Amino acid sequence: MNPDRIEPGAGSFRTHLSAGALSGDSDPTERLNTNRPLPPQHALSQPAIDHRTRDQPARSQRTRRTVDLPAPTHRALDIWQREAADRLGVARVTGQEVLSALIDQLLIDPKLTAQITRTIQARR
């Protein structure tokens, strides 16, 4: 864009600008998205409350856990998940489903608990 050259019709744009718009002293920006109403002013000063979990019993609240995996283990898990999805006849099996099922089994199966405990001890 060359500021010294004005294309036909470009002059009309400049004539509609006010002096305040050029100097930065314009009115506050208007909200263009009217799909959602603005929050009430008093809500901004109060702490945020997650209404989805406020009335739920504690046992149904979920807590996130993460795990760091070596790249080859991550790839192997991805392959296992795809194969499991094929065996189950579903589009995919998520890592969340795998880890949740493993933890459920760990907590109810004494033999698996002992095996995992031995594996952890051997890795230390």
Side-chain angles (χ1 to χ4, degrees):
M1 178 176 198
N2 185 347
D4 296 331
R5 183 173 169 208
I6 299 176
E7 298 290 327
S12 63
F13 175 75
R14 290 182 185 245
T15 60
H16 294 300
L17 289 176
S18 67
L22 293 175
S23 66
D25 295 333
S26 63
D27 293 330
T29 304
E30 286 184 49
R31 181 183 173 94
L32 297 178
N33 181 355
T34 58
N35 293 336
R36 293 179 288 150
L38 290 173
Q41 289 298 328
H42 63 84
L44 298 176
S45 62
Q46 295 176 355
I49 298 173
D50 187 356
H51 295 287
R52 292 172 293 168
T53 58
R54 182 182 64 188
D55 298 326
Q56 294 178 348
R59 68 178 179 269
S60 67
Q61 290 181 354
R62 305 193 51 90
T63 303
R64 180 165 298 278
R65 293 262 178 139
T66 58
V67 61
D68 294 325
L69 300 173
T73 304
H74 186 267
R75 282 191 296 275
L77 179 58
D78 281 344
I79 292 167
W80 186 92
Q81 287 173 236
R82 285 192 294 275
E83 291 172 350
D86 289 342
R87 286 190 299 272
L88 294 170
V90 296
R92 71 181 192 149
V93 171
T94 66
Q96 173 70 35
E97 291 173 304
V98 173
L99 294 175
S100 291
L102 284 170
I103 292 167
D104 289 343
Q105 288 299 306
L106 174 68
L107 296 176
I108 63 171
D109 184 343
K111 289 181 182 178
L112 181 59
T113 297
Q115 180 183 351
I116 296 300
T117 303
R118 285 191 302 272
T119 302
I120 292 170
Q121 186 175 25
R123 290 182 178 183
R124 287 186 173 210

